[in-house]
């Protein structure tokens, strides 16, 4: 029996996430370590900024 492996790459979602991360750092003027933290929780930083 011959096995076939199908690899599908969805890089557009990763690119969209990266653009959102860069937007957050630039728009909110985050520092280096806050920007590193924003890698994981960038929607939180946008929400806090927009609410206040």
């Amino acid at each position: 029996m011959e096995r076939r492996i199908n690899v599908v790459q969805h890089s557009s979602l990763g690119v969209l996430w990266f653009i959102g991360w860069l937007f957050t750092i630039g728009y909110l003027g985050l520092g280096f370590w806050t920007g590193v933290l924003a890698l994981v929780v960038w929607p939180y930083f946008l929400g806090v900024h927009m609410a206040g």
Side-chain angles (χ1 to χ4, degrees):
M1 181 184 287
E2 191 175 317
R3 289 188 173 194
R4 291 181 154 232
I5 298 174
N6 187 15
V7 177
V8 180
Q9 184 176 1
H10 298 284
S11 62
S12 60
L13 185 60
V15 170
L16 183 64
W17 178 85
F18 185 70
I19 290 170
W21 176 67
L22 289 177
F23 171 79
T24 301
I25 291 174
Y27 182 74
L28 303 180
L30 301 177
F32 176 76
W33 289 112
T34 312
V36 171
L37 181 62
L39 279 168
V40 179
V41 291
W42 63 268
Y44 169 77
F45 285 106
L46 283 176
V48 168
H49 180 75
M50 297 298 176

